[in-house]
Amino acid sequence: VFLLDLKNNELKLRPTTFSNDSCYLPPLRYPAICSLTGNSDVEDSQYVIHGGKTPNNELSNKMYVMSAIYHTNKKTTFCCTEKELEGDIPVGRYGHSMNVVHSRGKKMYVIFGGRSYMPQGQRNTENWNSVVDCQPHVFLVDLEFGCSNSYALPQLQNGFAFHVSLARNDTVYIVGGHCLKSNSRPPALYKLKIDLPLGSPSLSCTLLPNGLSLSSAIVTQISSKDFVIVGGYESDTHKRMVCNAITLDDDSIEISRKDSPEWTAEIKHGKY
């Protein structure tokens, strides 16, 4: 685990360590990560990690909570804890998303999308490593009580992965993604609203116009409601060289083009 320091337009990597009471966190590829910045009077931040590929190419269905602890000597350590879940547990997957929503004083983690290996009953020696898009179910995870529940919504008919997701208050917006079955990147934009009253949660999903066709893009939050999307792919052979600015208001999303930097030749013509 490294910390990134950006000073005077120079990026530096600083190695850090885990505390003695941490569980083992395997090196994972393509997990879903959600960060929660602590309050101003709390000197720690939490990062929730789910899924991903392990070094031996297995898919993890485990969930970890990694807390950053900032010491007075400017040293930072991490404490990692594995969280046990009950209920509808998401299968091991990668290329999915996880966000946190807040409603009526409660919070839930929202897991969606991704890829997994074919079901055990369909796997044989010839297709053992073949992957499929996960079922387009929405999982709500309550870490406080260690429970997970899945929901099937009629607006979400096809599975997809490597999309972008953004959250504000009780709403998650899902943008783009790659559908393995059709080998396409439809310009999708879904609005997933989650109400957390006493009792059972209420979920609604709306397909919005003016989505983006992309996969494997990077999203960065630059303010409480502003985000930037950069990179990714618009097809299997074409990189996505444009940038987009996204603003989330209380109940709406605005997507606009943003001036792109002067990409280097390595970025333009490199494989990744």
Side-chain angles (χ1 to χ4, degrees):
V1 177
F2 290 87
L3 296 175
L4 301 180
D5 279 342
L6 181 60
K7 292 182 179 179
N8 300 322
N9 290 326
E10 184 178 354
L11 187 64
K12 292 184 178 180
L13 293 177
R14 289 196 294 115
T16 185
T17 58
F18 285 95
S19 62
N20 293 331
D21 57 346
S22 289
C23 71
Y24 172 66
L25 177 65
L28 297 166
R29 290 178 293 158
Y30 315 118
I33 301 175
C34 178
S35 65
L36 279 180
T37 303
N39 297 325
S40 58
D41 58 343
V42 178
E43 294 185 345
D44 70 310
S45 300
Q46 279 191 328
Y47 303 85
V48 184
I49 304 168
H50 177 266
K53 281 189 174 184
T54 65
N56 58 3
N57 229 27
E58 293 180 351
L59 298 183
S60 171
N61 68 347
K62 294 182 178 180
M63 179 170 282
Y64 302 92
V65 175
M66 188 169 68
S67 299
I69 305 167
Y70 305 100
H71 302 278
T72 54
N73 60 0
K74 295 186 178 181
K75 181 181 178 181
T76 301
T77 58
F78 286 93
C79 181
C80 186
T81 305
E82 181 180 342
K83 302 297 290 187
E84 298 287 343
L85 297 179
E86 296 182 352
D88 304 324
I89 300 176
V91 298
R93 62 187 66 201
Y94 68 100
H96 54 305
S97 63
M98 178 167 55
N99 301 88
V100 62
V101 293
H102 300 266
S103 171
R104 303 175 187 259
K106 303 177 185 178
K107 68 180 179 183
M108 286 278 187
Y109 294 86
V110 182
I111 295 175
F112 178 78
R115 300 227 166 106
S116 185
Y117 289 128
M118 297 180 68
Q120 286 288 347
Q122 302 176 23
R123 295 178 78 183
N124 54 48
T125 55
E126 295 181 356
N127 65 12
W128 190 256
N129 289 323
S130 297
V131 295
V132 294
D133 288 320
C134 296
Q135 291 292 320
H137 294 166
V138 178
F139 290 86
L140 295 187
V141 178
D142 187 335
L143 284 184
E144 182 181 358
F145 296 100
C147 58
S148 173
N149 292 285
S150 67
Y151 300 85
L153 303 175
Q155 294 81 6
L156 298 169
Q157 290 294 318
N158 298 309
F160 51 89
F162 298 106
H163 51 281
V164 166
S165 63
L166 314 97
R168 179 173 170 83
N169 299 331
D170 61 354
T171 303
V172 176
Y173 293 93
I174 300 171
V175 185
H178 178 258
C179 178
L180 196 61
K181 185 177 181 180
S182 61
N183 190 26
S184 64
R185 294 167 177 81
L189 176 56
Y190 294 96
K191 178 182 178 181
L192 184 61
K193 198 172 184 66
I194 299 166
D195 187 21
L196 301 174
L198 290 175
S200 299
S202 174
L203 288 76
S204 65
C205 182
T206 305
L207 177 61
L208 302 177
N210 304 319
L212 299 175
S213 177
L214 57 84
S215 65
S216 302
I218 298 172
V219 59
T220 299
Q221 186 168 0
I222 59 176
S223 73
S224 61
K225 62 179 183 178
D226 294 310
F227 302 78
V228 173
I229 295 179
V230 64
Y233 293 87
E234 58 186 29
S235 72
D236 289 348
T237 57
H238 288 84
K239 291 182 178 179
R240 188 173 179 272
M241 308 306 295
V242 301
C243 300
N244 291 96
I246 296 184
T247 300
L248 303 184
D249 286 320
D250 289 340
D251 199 43
S252 65
I253 179 172
E254 179 182 347
I255 302 177
S256 59
R257 288 286 291 268
K258 188 175 179 66
D259 291 338
S260 300
E262 288 294 329
W263 303 113
T264 64
E266 182 181 8
I267 293 177
K268 287 181 179 179
H269 306 298
K271 184 177 180 181
Y272 300 108

